[in-house]
């Protein structure tokens, strides 16, 4: 692919070309967003082996349905929408339980076993690692609608508006889901933090 | 004391960097007085830090070089793209042959080709065109290495005669050895 050819072309221009069946335009869009799609899919399914296949499905489905894209949202959030749907659909169909270190009920016990801070950097590093693992496990325990907003907010650094576009819900709903998710996370993580 | 429920929302907005200046000042005043809200704030900040730590320690995979090609190939096989004119199709084939994924194999191949052709890149000067630099062909180089002299017609005729003479002499030498007769006079004239 011509590295410099389409880098500065806006998404909506490339999308219009894709709607006419232009292969090169779609190639540019794939190159532009493939790593972001890999990222969000990985945060959803937590399985490196399936991320590539799912990402392919995302882009193929995107091209097939691009005729219906009317530009009411950005292409970027529209693509994320497909990625989130693909990822969560995979989870529900395959019943994949992601790489959670802790099973239900074990989280609290594991957190209680975590060594306390002693000023030792090694222990602090270990504790930070444990805290991160616990946070990831706690996110996994959330209902899907909360998990989606948390992944998009905490991992993808999206704004409320972008999350609203991706999930096709009002901004107020994004806020309320995020706040409820955080309350629940804090409650689950309380033994650790 | 201000409502902690309202302050909790302010804390969330502060975490998301969407809290206004005035609300931020209200939150700041409240946090100085409320230990519970301080703990909420600390917990959420710690949670966010742990997620950042997790992102750094366990980065998500990235697309490899062949990913784009795979996607386009699958779509092409399904006939998803618009058909292209014949010329455009050839241009597309040439273009796709030079994708970064494939070009990386071309570089060493090109280097090997240069290495093999380097000894042949000698320049010669044509005698009739002094100063004109000509790139010799493989045939020219072979001629230079093993020059085949071009014989004039008279010499060729002489050589033909010489071969006939050699046959004649060989015949008489054999007869002479058998009959003990000396070489004929013609040998002396040669």
């Amino acid at each position: 692919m011509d590295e410099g050819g389409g880098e500065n072309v806006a998404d909506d221009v490339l999308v219009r070309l894709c709607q006419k069946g232009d292969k090169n335009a779609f190639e540019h869009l794939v190159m532009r967003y493939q790593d972001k799609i890999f990222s969000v899919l990985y945060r959803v399914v937590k399985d490196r082996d399936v991320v590539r296949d799912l990402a392919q499905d995302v882009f193929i489905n995107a091209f097939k349905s691009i005729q219906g894209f009317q530009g009411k949202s950005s292409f970027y959030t529209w693509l994320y929408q497909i990625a989130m749907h693909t990822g969560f659909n995979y989870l529900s169909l395959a019943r994949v339980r992601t790489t959670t270190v802790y099973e239900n009920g074990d989280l609290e016990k594991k957190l209680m076993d975590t060594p306390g801070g002693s000023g030792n950097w090694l222990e602090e590093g270990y504790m930070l690692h444990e805290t991160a693992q616990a946070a990831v496990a706690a996110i996994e325990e959330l209902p899907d609608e909360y998990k989606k907003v948390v992944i998009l907010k905490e991992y993808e650094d999206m704004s409320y508006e972008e999350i609203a576009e991706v999930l096709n819900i009002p901004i107020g709903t994004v806020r309320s889901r995020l706040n409820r998710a955080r309350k629940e996370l804090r409650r689950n993580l309380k033994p650790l933090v | 004391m201000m409502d902690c429920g309202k302050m909790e929302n302010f804390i969330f907005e502060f975490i998301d960097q969407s809290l206004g200046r005035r609300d931020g000042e209200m939150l700041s005043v409240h946090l100085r007085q409320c230990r519970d809200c301080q703990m909420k704030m600390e917990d959420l900040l710690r949670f966010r830090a742990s997620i950042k730590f997790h992102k750094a320690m366990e980065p998500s995979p990235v697309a490899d070089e062949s990913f784009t090609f795979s996607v386009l190939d699958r779509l092409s096989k399904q006939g998803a793209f618009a058909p292209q004119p014949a010329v455009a199709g050839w241009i597309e084939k040439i273009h796709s042959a030079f994708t970064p994924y494939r070009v990386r194999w071309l570089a060493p191949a090109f280097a090997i080709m240069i290495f093999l052709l380097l000894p042949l890149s000698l320049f010669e000067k044509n005698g009739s065109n002094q100063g004109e630099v000509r790139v010799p062909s493989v045939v020219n180089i072979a001629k230079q290495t093993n020059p085949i002299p071009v014989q004039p017609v008279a010499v060729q005729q002489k050589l033909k005669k010489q071969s006939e003479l050699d046959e004649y002499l060989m015949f008489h030498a054999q007869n002479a050895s058998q009959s003990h007769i000396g070489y004929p006079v013609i040998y002396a004239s040669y």
Side-chain angles (χ1 to χ4, degrees):
Chain A
M1 167 181 160
D2 178 13
E3 285 290 321
E7 280 183 0
N8 298 321
V9 181
D11 283 359
D12 55 342
V13 175
L14 292 172
V15 166
R16 279 200 295 276
L17 289 170
C18 287
Q19 288 172 334
K20 294 174 184 171
D22 191 305
K23 185 179 178 182
N24 289 333
F26 191 62
E27 184 178 2
H28 286 299
L29 287 173
V30 175
M31 294 284 283
R32 190 172 290 176
Y33 291 114
Q34 58 189 10
D35 285 344
K36 288 181 183 294
I37 296 304
F38 266 61
S39 171
V40 72
L41 283 172
Y42 179 63
R43 298 307 171 193
V44 173
V45 301
K46 301 276 195 304
D47 186 347
R48 289 177 186 270
D49 294 336
V50 300
V51 165
R52 193 178 192 278
D53 290 342
L54 291 177
Q56 277 198 27
D57 291 344
V58 168
F59 283 107
I60 286 167
N61 288 334
F63 188 82
K64 286 180 177 174
S65 52
I66 205 163
Q67 294 294 341
F69 178 71
Q70 298 174 341
K72 289 178 181 173
S73 65
S74 66
F75 174 76
Y76 157 70
T77 55
W78 182 73
L79 195 61
Y80 261 86
Q81 195 174 8
I82 298 172
M84 292 295 280
H85 180 263
T86 305
F88 277 92
N89 195 40
Y90 172 82
L91 285 180
S92 62
L93 287 175
R95 297 178 182 279
V96 171
R97 296 316 300 163
T98 54
T99 57
T100 45
V101 178
Y102 319 109
E103 297 296 329
N104 284 345
D106 288 347
L107 174 60
E108 195 167 335
K109 179 179 180 300
K110 189 73 184 176
L111 296 178
M112 297 305 282
D113 291 343
T114 304
S118 63
N120 183 309
W121 66 270
L122 191 60
E123 281 193 8
E124 285 176 4
Y126 176 73
M127 197 168 171
L128 190 57
H129 177 73
E130 289 290 298
T131 309
Q133 290 293 328
V136 173
I139 292 171
E140 289 303 315
E141 297 302 320
L142 291 173
D144 280 357
E145 64 265 28
Y146 292 174
K147 199 193 296 184
K148 288 175 184 175
V149 291
V150 170
I151 287 173
L152 293 176
K153 186 68 196 170
E154 301 296 341
Y155 283 105
E156 302 302 318
D157 296 322
M158 283 188 174
S159 66
Y160 292 145
E161 290 77 10
E162 287 172 323
I163 297 171
E165 280 187 10
V166 170
L167 300 179
N168 202 21
I169 53 176
I171 292 176
T173 308
V174 173
R175 283 180 196 272
S176 62
R177 284 187 188 177
L178 198 55
N179 292 353
R180 279 186 222 135
R182 283 169 171 163
K183 284 177 189 172
E184 196 162 330
L185 286 169
R186 182 169 178 259
R187 192 163 50 246
N188 291 338
L189 290 168
K190 190 69 180 168
L192 182 66
V193 298
Chain B
M1 183 173 288
M2 282 172 278
D3 179 16
C4 285
K6 186 180 178 182
M7 286 302 118
E8 188 175 41
N9 288 333
F10 281 2
I11 290 171
F12 292 144
E13 288 179 21
F14 174 79
I15 296 282
D16 293 333
Q17 299 176 336
S18 61
L19 187 65
R21 186 183 182 88
R22 189 167 178 172
D23 292 340
E25 287 170 358
M26 287 173 64
L27 176 63
S28 180
V29 170
H30 178 77
L31 287 176
R32 287 195 203 104
Q33 303 165 353
C34 181
R35 178 65 188 151
D36 285 348
C37 286
Q38 277 182 32
M39 289 179 66
K40 279 180 194 170
M41 174 80 99
E42 288 172 9
D43 290 350
L44 288 168
L45 288 173
R46 199 169 292 130
F47 170 75
R48 172 153 287 188
S50 64
I51 293 296
K52 285 191 185 299
F53 178 80
H54 179 248
K55 280 171 73 175
M57 294 302 290
E58 194 180 319
S60 56
V62 294
D64 56 62
E65 290 173 328
S66 65
F67 178 76
T68 307
F69 178 77
S70 303
V71 171
L72 298 177
D73 190 48
R74 274 181 65 181
L75 283 168
S76 292
K77 285 175 180 169
Q78 295 172 18
F81 299 116
Q84 295 180 323
V87 175
W90 278 105
I91 292 171
E92 172 62 24
K93 282 181 183 176
I94 294 167
H95 176 258
S96 64
F98 287 90
T99 56
Y101 170 61
R102 292 181 176 177
V103 161
R104 67 175 179 172
W105 299 108
L106 287 177
F110 190 69
I112 291 169
M113 194 173 75
I114 292 291
F115 178 76
L116 292 174
L117 293 177
L118 195 61
L120 301 180
S121 63
L122 301 169
F123 295 98
E124 67 173 4
K125 289 186 178 179
N126 192 322
S128 60
N129 298 316
Q130 290 295 331
E132 183 186 349
V133 179
R134 300 181 64 190
V135 180
S137 66
V138 176
V139 175
N140 286 339
I141 288 177
K143 282 180 179 175
Q144 286 175 355
T145 311
N146 300 302
I148 301 169
V150 178
Q151 306 291 352
V153 177
V155 175
Q156 286 177 2
Q157 289 174 348
K158 186 177 178 182
L159 286 172
K160 191 177 177 184
K161 287 177 183 174
Q162 185 180 346
S163 63
E164 290 171 357
L165 179 63
D166 287 341
E167 285 178 16
Y168 177 79
L169 290 174
M170 184 67 73
F171 173 75
H172 285 282
Q174 287 172 352
N175 290 340
S177 64
Q178 290 171 4
S179 61
H180 303 284
I181 300 172
Y183 288 114
V185 181
I186 191 171
Y187 181 76
S189 66
Y190 178 71

